[in-house]
Amino acid sequence: MPKPDSYQIFAIKYATLGGRNASENFVEGDPHERGSNLDYFVWLARSPRRTFVVDTGFDARVGRRRGRRMLIRPERGLALLGVDARKVKDVIITHLHYDHVGNFGLFPNATFHLQDDEMAYATGRHMGNAFLNHAYEPDEVVGMVREVYRGRVRFHDGDVELAPGLSLHKIGGHTQGLQAVRIHTRIGWVVLASDAAHLYENLEHARPFPIVFDVGRMVDGWRRLRELADAPERIVPGHDPLVMKRYRAPRPALEGIAVRLDRKPGR
Ligand SMILES: [Zn+2]
């Protein structure tokens, strides 16, 4: 086994959504109780040899239509970290929801890494149901099908190592083919949960998020995330505003825009 590379990992916060109640964040949450905001992220994992972008965020037009507030264009956030979207070779799409796959067109040289089950789900029988399809944008799913025909989608079935120190893990639950990303860093193995855990509270208090395909797999997924990470605090949820509080900006100019996830949480 080659020694795993150590990656720097960045979370870039590109949008936010407030005014939520608890029933929007938890199955059986109280609709009269205030709920956490959701932040929206794309992630960057970089070693001396490889650069991976994890998810591409929502498209500004789609975000506006859905009432989300964009703070910075995801590609601009990447540029501030020295990454030109046009040159990126590997983009991991954790799942095909609008807030994770919009903007894929800004990565003309990338291979998109996707689970077989996610494409099957997003193009299959369940998409006839509004409860299951509402976080997908048909045009984006169709766009990704076009990328399949161009040979630019690399499908994975389950768990796979993409590079020494970086692997994909099918979790399912939130969607049928959701995958998390496990990354080796100087503080150990960090897991980008994406929407296997929207908020720390979903994971820590075992409270499922209400946008869900298979609750059983979502619940199993929390245990899988713990197995994959070196410590529970190395699991990074997909939408929690606390991520920006627990980790530090890579430099003062990026305060509020990006944080480094390969440094210990806490100030
Ligand atoms: Zn999401």
Side-chain angles (χ1 to χ4, degrees), residues 87-157:
K87 293 185 181 153
V88 171
K89 294 242 176 341
D90 291 284
V91 173
I92 295 161
I93 301 292
T94 64
H95 59 306
L96 290 168
H97 278 171
Y98 79 96
D99 53 325
H100 297 261
V101 74
N103 303 312
F104 69 87
L106 300 176
F107 297 81
N109 286 302
T111 293
F112 299 106
H113 297 272
L114 187 67
Q115 289 285 326
D116 284 322
D117 272 353
E118 184 62 13
M119 184 57 94
Y121 180 58
T123 55
R125 63 165 69 203
H126 295 300
M127 294 302 104
N129 183 303
F131 175 77
L132 297 171
N133 75 17
H134 71 92
Y136 289 99
E137 285 288 326
D139 286 345
E140 291 172 354
V141 173
V142 169
M144 197 48 79
V145 171
R146 291 188 199 284
E147 299 299 345
V148 173
Y149 277 75
R150 291 186 185 119
R152 294 184 58 213
V153 178
R154 189 159 148 214
F155 284 103
H156 302 286
D157 181 15

Side-chain angles (χ1 to χ4, degrees), residues 38-40 55 95 97-100 174 194-195 198 238-239:
L38 294 188
D39 280 352
Y40 294 79
D55 290 342
H95 59 306
H97 278 171
Y98 79 96
D99 53 325
H100 297 261
H174 175 61
S194 182
D195 292 358
H198 284 67
H239 288 275

Side-chain angles (χ1 to χ4, degrees), residues 192-263:
L192 300 180
S194 182
D195 292 358
H198 284 67
L199 303 168
Y200 285 106
E201 200 174 348
N202 295 116
L203 184 67
E204 289 167 4
H205 297 154
R207 302 183 73 187
F209 192 81
I211 299 177
V212 57
F213 170 62
D214 183 330
V215 180
R217 286 200 193 281
M218 181 180 273
V219 169
D220 275 350
W222 300 330
R223 191 193 52 210
R224 186 75 184 118
L225 296 174
R226 289 192 186 95
E227 288 167 359
L228 293 168
D230 267 350
E233 63 270 22
R234 302 278 184 275
I235 301 168
V236 182
H239 288 275
D240 201 321
L242 290 173
V243 170
M244 296 301 287
K245 299 207 164 80
R246 291 189 184 179
Y247 294 89
R248 282 188 295 263
R251 55 178 195 267
L254 292 179
E255 202 72 51
I257 298 171
V259 289
R260 270 289 281 276
L261 301 173
D262 58 304
R263 290 179 184 152

